Amino acid sequence: MSVARRAAIATVAIMSLSSLGLTGFEERVYRALLRGDDPDAVGGPDDVRAAVAKLVGLGLARTEGDRVRPVAAEVGVARLIRRRMREANAELRRISRAWEAVPALATEQRAGYDAVERIESAEQVEQRIWSLVLDAHEVMAVHHLQRRIHTTALPRYLRRLGEGVRWRTIVPRARLEDPATAEYYALLHRSGDRHRVTDEAVQQMVILDRAVAFVPIEPNTHGSGALVLRQAGAVTTLVDLFERVWAHADDLEPGGSAVLTERERRVLRLLATAAKDETSAREMGVSLRTYRRYVAELLARLGAGNRVQAAVIAKQRGWV
């Protein structure tokens, strides 16, 4: 079998409609219909009937008397994509209303512990955030449309990224209209602070180690000071909001940047050797847990479900 043929088969193997609402079994039935095969060969008759009913309901198939005909792939998949996009937009609108709960959460305090702190000065907010970032393992950030870019903080920013902190940032798409800002974001993105872009009106926030959150005192007002939230319920709500918006946002460099960070290159090279994780972690000089986190982040960037798929995708993009 030729190299091109093997690559084509590997590419098809990693394609999946699971993100569009189909189970693996339902997808196999749909593929059988597209090939003209008997779907009853895929599984038990009851399971096949249920899968066919699901496909018909989603507009991927239609019944003609006693026969089931598949809808053309380009038509059926387009329907699924539009349906999922409508659901995603509705979900984003719903979870964005969680901001209405922030004023109430800001008044909540536990006995003997100040769960909410108010910082009036924007400069003091920056100083407090950085004092915590220096020891943080994970940072989640959502930038405001009017947020200023602090290039003076770039050296310590890059130093923390090099030390392995997991950093993710969501930015408004309109921020990219400024070339200097877009270039700054691209630099951070390629250095390890993974950036995603959204059109949704999401409030500014910074969350550190899923334990402390900073939100503006006045919504939609940059520089108004911040509320520092430590109450577990409030922080968990904000983490959930961030993760949901992150899941539906667009990568800053769709398809993956052709420029890898040095850490990502090292992880890819170690994956190619098929060495044990313990050995690879020692070579990188990090703990086993940290190395496996690096691998998981690389797989997420590639959109791969496992390490074999990651190797195939990386090769296709010319990264290895």
Side-chain angles (χ1 to χ4, degrees):
M1 184 182 297
S2 68
V3 174
R5 177 63 174 164
R6 287 198 300 269
I9 292 175
T11 301
V12 172
I14 64 175
M15 295 172 61
S16 171
L17 300 180
S18 61
S19 62
L20 300 180
L22 291 186
T23 66
F25 182 78
E26 292 163 349
E27 182 175 343
R28 290 196 296 275
V29 172
Y30 180 52
R31 288 176 182 267
L33 291 172
L34 288 175
R35 294 192 301 268
D37 296 341
D38 183 1
D40 288 335
V42 177
D46 291 340
D47 292 335
V48 171
R49 278 195 296 272
V52 168
K54 174 78 171 292
L55 296 175
V56 171
L58 292 174
L60 291 176
R62 63 180 182 275
T63 56
E64 297 179 356
D66 295 333
R67 297 181 62 84
V68 179
R69 301 286 189 184
V71 172
E74 58 269 23
V75 175
V77 174
R79 288 174 177 171
L80 285 186
I81 292 173
R82 287 194 295 270
R83 172 175 167 271
R84 290 293 290 153
M85 289 181 67
R86 288 194 298 270
E87 292 174 349
N89 288 334
E91 182 182 24
L92 283 173
R93 288 192 295 271
R94 179 180 61 80
I95 62 178
S96 291
R97 289 196 293 270
W99 281 106
E100 298 172 4
V102 170
L105 292 171
T107 63
E108 190 174 312
Q109 294 185 349
R110 292 181 298 183
Y113 180 70
D114 186 7
V116 179
E117 178 185 358
R118 184 183 179 106
I119 304 178
E120 301 289 347
S121 164
E123 182 179 353
Q124 290 179 339
V125 172
E126 291 284 342
Q127 292 174 351
R128 178 68 64 82
I129 289 174
W130 272 106
S131 70
L132 297 176
V133 165
L134 292 177
D135 296 316
H137 299 288
E138 181 180 18
V139 180
M140 305 173 184
V142 178
H143 285 188
H144 189 272
L145 187 60
Q146 300 174 350
R147 183 181 186 274
R148 291 178 297 150
I149 298 300
H150 298 285
T151 55
T152 55
L154 185 59
R156 58 182 175 179
Y157 205 149
L158 297 178
R159 183 168 58 252
R160 285 300 289 131
L161 293 174
E163 291 168 351
V165 61
R166 187 188 185 205
W167 206 312
R168 291 180 293 160
T169 300
I170 298 172
V171 299
R173 196 178 303 276
R175 293 301 312 272
L176 304 181
E177 295 174 0
D178 175 49
T181 301
E183 182 179 357
Y184 179 79
Y185 284 149
L187 170 62
L188 296 176
H189 181 73
R190 295 168 184 175
S191 299
D193 177 358
R194 311 311 303 167
H195 279 57
R196 289 191 179 179
V197 185
T198 183
D199 294 311
E200 296 295 323
V202 184
Q203 289 290 338
Q204 183 178 10
M205 71 175 87
V206 177
I207 307 172
L208 299 115
D209 289 333
R210 301 174 181 252
V212 182
F214 292 75
V215 298
I217 293 175
E218 297 292 336
N220 299 313
T221 305
H222 177 68
S224 68
L227 299 176
V228 187
L229 309 179
R230 298 183 181 86
Q231 205 281 330
V235 177
T236 299
T237 298
L238 295 175
V239 169
D240 182 62
L241 172 61
F242 179 93
E243 294 290 8
R244 290 174 183 271
V245 175
W246 177 268
H248 297 293
D250 298 323
D251 194 276
L252 181 65
E253 296 179 316
S257 169
V259 180
L260 293 177
T261 66
E262 179 58 33
R263 188 184 78 193
E264 288 170 329
R265 292 192 188 95
R266 292 183 66 187
V267 172
L268 268 179
R269 287 196 294 267
L270 290 169
L271 288 179
T273 66
K276 291 183 177 180
D277 285 357
E278 291 81 359
T279 303
S280 298
R282 284 196 299 272
E283 184 167 334
M284 288 195 69
V286 298
S287 69
L288 178 60
R289 180 178 179 181
T290 297
Y291 173 74
R292 287 176 173 166
R293 175 165 61 82
Y294 290 168
V295 172
E297 290 172 356
L298 182 60
L299 264 58
R301 178 179 180 184
L302 293 172
N306 56 52
R307 300 182 185 200
V308 174
Q309 291 178 5
V312 172
I313 296 172
K315 186 172 183 180
Q316 290 172 344
R317 294 180 182 174
W319 288 358
V320 293

